[in-house]
Amino acid sequence: MPRCPRGSPVHAVRPGDACAFLGIMTDTWWNGTGRARYPIPYLNHILEKQVHEALRQRITVHYNYEGLSDQEVPDYIHHKLELAGGSRSILGGDAVSAVHGYSEGNARKIDNLMTDALTIGAQQEKPAIDAEVILAAANNQSLT
């Protein structure tokens, strides 16, 4: 297994390890949360360089995801609740704002946060999810 110099952002590279390859190519590292140090727009900027032309030609889908807007977050949450057979009344208005603040509009974070919040709310026998429950769920996920 090839090794990078000690202290390098990527310590070991396995054949076919795309994350390690991107880490070396962009001089980034992957932290414990599973997020890259640099956001995707930075990666797009790196791929624009001539030296990465061959790689860029092999990428078939290009997009920048900015997250859900302030209006889309409540709509997304209520839609997911309705799909699950729940009622909009299960969430307080402050809870939706708190979800948006902690998730930064990221749909995956919203889903995970709401799953934890519903679990915590059920454990505490709350009639509705409020900002306090969202805070507990965020702390549970280390989003804060």
Side-chain angles (χ1 to χ4, degrees):
M1 175 183 327
R3 287 244 183 247
C4 296
R6 188 127 177 90
S8 174
V10 180
H11 299 291
V13 179
R14 293 183 306 274
D17 190 345
C19 292
F21 171 73
L22 286 174
I24 291 169
M25 184 180 84
T26 62
D27 192 30
T28 62
W29 65 88
W30 303 92
N31 62 25
T33 64
R35 288 178 272 178
R37 179 177 155 209
Y38 296 111
I40 294 298
Y42 179 79
L43 179 59
N44 288 339
H45 174 71
I46 293 292
L47 289 173
E48 289 173 0
K49 294 181 179 177
Q50 183 63 33
V51 69
H52 302 301
E53 177 68 25
L55 177 61
R56 186 174 62 249
Q57 289 175 357
R58 287 168 176 77
I59 297 174
T60 57
V61 178
H62 297 270
Y63 67 93
N64 287 322
Y65 179 70
E66 299 293 330
L68 300 175
S69 70
D70 293 345
Q71 179 54 40
E72 291 172 324
V73 170
D75 293 344
Y76 179 78
I77 292 170
H78 291 132
H79 175 72
K80 296 286 267 191
L81 279 173
E82 289 170 4
L83 287 177
S87 169
R88 289 176 176 238
S89 63
I90 198 170
L91 282 176
D94 59 340
V96 174
S97 298
V99 168
H100 184 267
Y102 290 120
S103 68
E104 302 167 343
N106 183 307
R108 183 180 187 139
K109 287 182 182 179
I110 292 170
D111 290 345
N112 292 336
L113 189 61
M114 287 302 301
T115 299
D116 278 1
L118 291 170
T119 302
I120 291 169
Q123 290 170 344
Q124 296 177 358
E125 299 180 2
K126 295 250 185 185
I129 304 300
D130 56 12
E132 180 182 326
V133 174
I134 299 299
L135 175 62
N139 287 335
N140 190 41
Q141 293 187 4
S142 300
L143 291 176
T144 56

